[in-house]
Amino acid sequence: MATVELTKDNFDETVSTNGFVLIDFWASWCGPCRQFAPVFEKASEAHPDLVFAKVDTEAQQELAAAFEIRSIPTLMIIRDQVAVFAQPGALPENLLEDVIGQARALDMDEVRAKIAEAAGNGAADA
């Protein structure tokens, strides 16, 4: 599957209709972003069942701001509409594969339960 370009217009639909989305926040002027691009593209070819998407932080400043992107490249993984991974920096191929494997292995019911528990604890503290 080709890498999808995410914009504010298609972001919600892409994330809500796909259970596993990897997002590369990047900019054309960013050297590390250009270095990471072929690694990200190769992973997209190795994992055709996943959605690989890119957000050009220059063209999509609202999206970058919404996710508080302060450093690029930043890789984010969204599973079942929950951000389960976000890290700045260009990952080498082996680490990207490791992160994908860990995200695939997550028990999303457990993740949602922990989020609910944390939200409940936050409400109790308020």
Side-chain angles (χ1 to χ4, degrees):
M1 172 186 256
T3 304
V4 176
E5 183 177 339
L6 287 182
T7 67
K8 64 181 182 177
D9 297 326
N10 70 354
F11 185 90
D12 289 339
E13 179 184 349
T14 300
V15 170
S16 65
T17 59
N18 295 284
F20 198 121
V21 183
L22 293 95
I23 304 169
D24 175 19
F25 289 88
W26 70 286
S28 60
W29 52 262
C30 166
C33 297
R34 289 193 308 270
Q35 186 178 28
F36 181 60
V39 173
F40 191 74
E41 196 62 38
K42 185 175 179 183
S44 76
E45 293 166 7
H47 301 278
D49 58 318
L50 307 179
V51 174
F52 285 74
K54 295 176 88 65
V55 173
D56 180 344
T57 57
E58 292 293 305
Q60 300 299 321
Q61 293 181 14
E62 286 179 49
L63 273 181
F67 286 97
E68 299 178 357
I69 302 302
R70 303 277 182 254
S71 180
I72 54 174
T74 289
L75 176 67
M76 180 176 289
I77 298 177
I78 300 178
R79 270 200 61 197
D80 300 341
Q81 302 180 44
V82 176
V84 296
F85 179 85
Q87 178 178 308
L91 294 175
E93 185 178 342
N94 63 328
L95 286 181
L96 178 56
E97 287 298 324
D98 185 51
V99 166
I100 292 169
Q102 288 182 48
R104 280 186 188 272
L106 286 173
D107 178 337
M108 291 308 294
D109 289 334
E110 186 176 312
V111 170
R112 281 187 285 278
K114 286 183 180 178
I115 291 170
E117 180 181 317
N121 287 342
D125 295 340

